[in-house]
């Protein structure tokens, strides 16, 4: 055959209609346990903002911020602007960025479970250091260990969920990660609300992160490996038996063959990070970079990290600000449940586009209210304060059923097996890089841009909504090992994808 390929071609034939199986209890339990990795990520996002607004914590580690906070004439938008305080929040994400790139070869060569267990242990160490911190150095070391845990967990858990889930419910089961994240945020907010009046409340808030870390570590010890990972590492018989078990049927020939084809190509690739730059992987790489970047540039992390600080900047009292941030956490968790119910029925594109349009609207409304009613040294009236909280909750609701879960789900399902670990490593690294940038710069941006910070994020949401409309094909119902064929049908990506080249049969 002209143009014969000297190596394996990977998955070159659609077999989706031949896939059989059902959702087994075994898969549901495995996905629930694995998704606890998301709870760890969410707990930290939620706990950081609350702790950094607690007076005993500020007095001990950031006395300059505590003093500035108490000045009545301090500019509303600048009272918490401190790079050291920002570093407490953002150091974790910089450590996670580096760890996620290290986690990629570990996940590929030693399995998804190994990374999940290592992530849990690292987070356990970090939470212990934070709870016992006596100085800033010990506090930051604990944050770095937490970051390593998040880097490994966020790299492995979405992959684990995507590979374990049956095709027709992959979106919903993958979103268990985001649901656990949102429940972690909500739990953290409620804990902050309960510990804010205690002198040592910040220690309790930081130390309780050990609870989900313990579940993740112990759960990882008992979880099965994914059949995709077993087959990729040469354990064909074990992989086949596990596939039959999680699908609840022995008729898994089509799905098993797709995994064999994918693993054959995967094992011929010795340098996944180099291979991911090839033209056949260009669409996945672009989306694997832009989806997590856009997810952060919605501005959601700024609201979740600094919700208590943000609400205090608007004139809310301490109790009211923590209560308001707990409310946003509850809204985020409930909206993710809506997304789980809708994603495999309505598809990824519809949720992303409609969610984007709604988020743009709410960001603009908040900026108008703050621009007109909140000056540098004024406070919002009670009526407008309530209105701001309602609009922010609507924004969180729109994010929670669109970019929140799908910013993780889409990248985890689009990469072929040979670059899947590397691709997820890139996705997590980009997510944590932009999380770090926003976490480090948000308080300064709030001080400089004031109410314009919300227009800044609204502009980015316009860009990402247009991007999804033109460049993201619908992945609903496409088997994970046949995703490579999807790009050849897309109006833009088919111009970039090289032709499929098959192995030349012997004797021709």
């Amino acid at each position: 055959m002209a143009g014969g390929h000297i190596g394996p071609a990977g998955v070159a034939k659609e077999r989706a209609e031949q896939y059989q199986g059902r959702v087994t209890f075994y898969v549901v339990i495995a996905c629930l346990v694995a998704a606890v990795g998301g709870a760890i990520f969410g707990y930290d996002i939620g706990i950081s903002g609350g702790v950094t607004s607690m007076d005993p914590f500020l007095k001990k580690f950031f006395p300059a911020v505590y003093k500035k906070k108490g000045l009545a004439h301090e500019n509303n938008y600048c009272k918490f602007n401190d790079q050291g305080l920002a570093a407490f929040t953002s150091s974790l994400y910089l450590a996670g960025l580096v760890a996620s790139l290290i986690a990629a070869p570990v996940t590929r060569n030693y399995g998804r479970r190994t990374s999940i267990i290592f992530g849990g242990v690292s987070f356990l160490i970090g939470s212990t250091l934070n709870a016992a911190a006596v100085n800033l150095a010990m506090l930051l070391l604990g944050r770095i260990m937490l970051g390593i845990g998040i880097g490994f967990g966020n790299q492995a858990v979405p992959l684990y969920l995507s590979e374990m889930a049956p095709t027709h419910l992959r979106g919903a089961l993958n979103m268990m990660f985001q649901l656990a994240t949102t429940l972690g945020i909500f739990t953290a907010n409620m804990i902050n609300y309960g510990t804010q009046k205690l002198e040592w409340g910040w220690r309790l808030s930081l130390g309780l992160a050990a609870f989900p870390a313990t579940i993740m570590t112990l759960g990882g010890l008992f979880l099965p490996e994914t059949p995709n990972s077993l087959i990729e590492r040469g354990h064909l018989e074990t992989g086949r038996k596990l596939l039959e078990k999680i699908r609840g049927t022995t008729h898994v020939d089509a799905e098993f063959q797709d995994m064999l084809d994918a693993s054959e190509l995967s094992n011929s690739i010795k340098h996944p990070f180099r291979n991911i730059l090839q033209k056949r992987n260009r669409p996945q790489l672009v989306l694997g970079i832009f989806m997590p970047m856009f997810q952060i540039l919605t501005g959601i992390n700024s609201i979740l990290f600094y919700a208590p600080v943000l609400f205090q900047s608007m004139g809310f009292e301490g109790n009211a600000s923590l209560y308001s941030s707990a409310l946003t956490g509850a809204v985020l968790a409930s909206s993710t449940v809506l997304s789980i119910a809708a994603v495999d029925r309505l598809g990824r594109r519809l949720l992303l586009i409609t969610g984007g349009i709604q988020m743009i609207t709410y960001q603009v409304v908040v900026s108008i209210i703050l621009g007109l009613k909140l000056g540098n040294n004024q406070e919002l009236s009670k009526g407008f304060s309530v209105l701001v909280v309602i609009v922010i909750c609507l924004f969180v609701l729109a994010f929670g059923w669109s970019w929140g879960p799908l910013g993780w789900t889409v990248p985890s399902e689009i990469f072929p097996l040979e670059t899947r670990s590397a691709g997820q490593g890139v996705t997590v690294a980009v997510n944590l890089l932009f999380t770090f940038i926003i976490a480090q710069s948000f308080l300064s941006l709030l001080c400089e841009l004031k109410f314009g910070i919300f227009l800044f994020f609204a502009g980015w949401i316009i860009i990402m909504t247009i991007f999804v409309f033109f460049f993201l094909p619908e992945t609903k119902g496409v088997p994970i090992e046949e995703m490579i064929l999807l790009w050849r049908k897309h109006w833009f990506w088919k111009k970039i994808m090289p032709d499929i080249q098959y192995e030349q049969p012997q004797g021709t």
Side-chain angles (χ1 to χ4, degrees):
M1 182 185 293
H5 191 62
I6 58 171
V11 178
K13 179 182 177 183
E14 293 185 356
R15 302 185 181 92
E17 292 182 358
Q18 301 171 41
Y19 276 34
Q20 295 187 39
R22 56 187 172 83
V23 181
T24 59
F25 181 73
Y26 192 65
V27 164
V28 172
I29 293 299
C31 288
L32 284 172
V33 173
V36 173
I40 287 178
F41 187 42
Y43 186 85
D44 183 80
I45 290 173
I47 220 72
S48 298
V51 165
T52 51
S53 69
M54 291 181 185
D55 288 345
F57 177 82
L58 291 175
K59 273 193 279 190
K60 185 170 183 64
F61 297 105
F62 303 99
V65 179
Y66 175 72
K67 185 178 178 182
K68 197 194 302 185
K69 178 184 173 184
L71 297 176
H73 65 274
E74 186 65 36
N75 187 310
N76 273 323
Y77 293 102
C78 300
K79 62 175 75 171
F80 288 95
N81 184 21
D82 182 88
Q83 288 301 300
L85 183 60
F88 164 76
T89 297
S90 60
S91 57
L92 177 149
Y93 302 100
L94 194 59
L97 188 161
V98 175
S100 67
L101 297 175
I102 297 171
V106 174
T107 305
R108 183 181 191 229
N109 297 324
Y110 299 100
R112 286 46 166 157
R113 282 179 65 242
T114 302
S115 287
I116 290 173
I117 294 167
F118 187 82
V121 170
S122 298
F123 209 89
L124 200 54
I125 294 170
S127 59
T128 303
L129 286 171
N130 272 177
V134 294
N135 53 44
L136 189 58
M138 190 171 174
L139 192 70
L140 291 178
L141 178 61
R143 296 290 289 176
I144 289 169
M145 290 305 298
L146 294 177
I148 292 171
I150 281 176
F152 272 80
N154 286 15
Q155 205 280 336
V157 171
L159 285 189
Y160 186 91
L161 296 173
S162 282
E163 291 181 344
M164 289 293 282
T167 299
H168 67 290
L169 285 177
R170 187 178 61 243
L173 288 176
N174 190 285
M175 283 182 179
M176 292 290 186
F177 178 79
Q178 177 66 11
L179 179 61
T181 301
T182 59
L183 290 174
I185 293 169
F186 176 67
T187 302
N189 285 331
M190 296 311 296
I191 287 171
N192 281 337
Y193 186 66
T195 61
Q196 61 180 317
K197 294 187 183 300
L198 300 174
E199 187 68 25
W200 44 271
W202 62 270
R203 291 191 187 275
L204 183 59
S205 289
L206 294 174
L208 284 173
F211 180 68
T214 301
I215 295 175
M216 181 174 167
T217 306
L218 294 177
L221 293 171
F222 295 102
L223 285 175
E225 187 53 85
T226 70
N228 310 63
S229 179
L230 288 169
I231 292 166
E232 182 183 23
R233 290 181 287 134
H235 306 295
L236 304 187
E237 187 176 343
T238 306
R240 167 95 192 200
K241 287 180 179 177
L242 178 61
L243 183 61
E244 291 175 356
K245 185 174 184 179
I246 65 175
R247 297 292 178 257
T249 178
T250 56
H251 304 295
V252 294
D253 292 344
E255 190 170 2
F256 183 66
Q257 189 58 51
D258 274 349
M259 290 181 186
L260 284 177
D261 291 348
S263 66
E264 188 181 2
L265 177 58
S266 175
N267 289 325
S268 71
I269 304 297
K270 301 304 177 189
H271 304 286
F273 278 107
R274 194 182 304 165
N275 181 263
I276 207 173
L277 299 175
Q278 294 182 2
K279 284 185 75 173
R280 81 186 294 268
N281 293 316
R282 192 71 45 81
Q284 304 95 300
L285 180 61
V286 170
L287 285 163
I289 291 172
F290 279 91
M291 291 296 289
M293 181 186 83
F294 285 150
Q295 185 195 51
I296 301 306
L297 289 173
T298 59
I300 188 67
N301 279 11
S302 304
I303 289 171
L304 297 178
F305 282 153
Y306 298 111
V309 170
L310 192 64
F311 286 128
Q312 282 192 28
S313 295
M314 294 173 191
F316 285 68
E317 294 300 323
N319 282 5
S321 67
L322 278 170
Y323 186 76
S324 300
S325 59
L327 178 62
T328 58
V331 170
L332 184 60
S334 60
S335 63
T336 306
V337 175
L338 293 177
S339 189
I340 289 173
V343 66
D344 289 311
R345 291 188 179 93
L346 302 179
R348 283 64 161 157
R349 280 171 51 85
L350 182 65
L351 295 183
L352 287 167
I353 292 169
T354 54
I357 292 169
Q358 291 179 29
M359 284 191 289
I360 294 163
T361 304
Y362 301 138
Q363 291 274 32
V364 171
V365 169
V366 170
S367 69
I368 291 172
I369 294 172
L370 297 185
L372 294 176
K373 298 296 180 181
L374 182 68
N376 285 341
N377 304 307
Q378 298 170 281
E379 289 190 2
L380 284 176
S381 67
K382 184 175 181 181
F384 279 106
S385 296
V386 171
L387 183 58
V388 166
V389 171
I390 290 171
V391 177
I392 285 180
C393 283
L394 289 172
F395 169 82
V396 170
L397 184 70
F399 173 86
W401 56 260
S402 60
W403 279 93
L406 291 170
W408 289 108
T409 297
V410 172
S412 74
E413 67 185 3
I414 59 176
F415 286 95
L417 186 61
E418 72 269 17
T419 58
R420 193 167 296 151
S421 291
Q424 185 68 10
V426 169
T427 294
V428 175
V430 170
N431 181 285
L432 294 176
L433 172 63
F434 278 87
T435 302
F436 168 77
I437 291 170
I438 294 298
Q440 191 66 32
S441 63
F442 176 72
L443 294 176
S444 296
L445 284 172
L446 180 64
C447 184
E448 291 295 323
L449 298 178
K450 301 179 172 59
F451 63 87
I453 188 75
F454 293 96
L455 295 177
F456 170 79
F457 290 123
W460 278 109
I461 301 171
I462 292 171
I463 293 170
M464 65 187 74
T465 304
I466 294 170
F467 177 86
V468 168
F469 184 82
F470 286 107
F471 299 111
L472 177 66
E474 183 53 67
T475 59
K476 178 186 72 171
V478 181
I480 193 168
E481 302 302 354
E482 293 184 9
M483 203 67 71
I484 190 71
L485 305 174
L486 184 65
W487 313 106
R488 302 181 190 281
K489 302 173 185 176
H490 187 266
W491 73 273
F492 178 78
W493 298 120
K494 68 181 180 183
K495 301 172 186 176
I496 293 174
M497 293 290 286
D499 293 334
I500 296 177
Q501 293 182 310
Y502 301 91
E503 288 187 75
Q504 184 171 342
Q506 293 184 352
T508 60

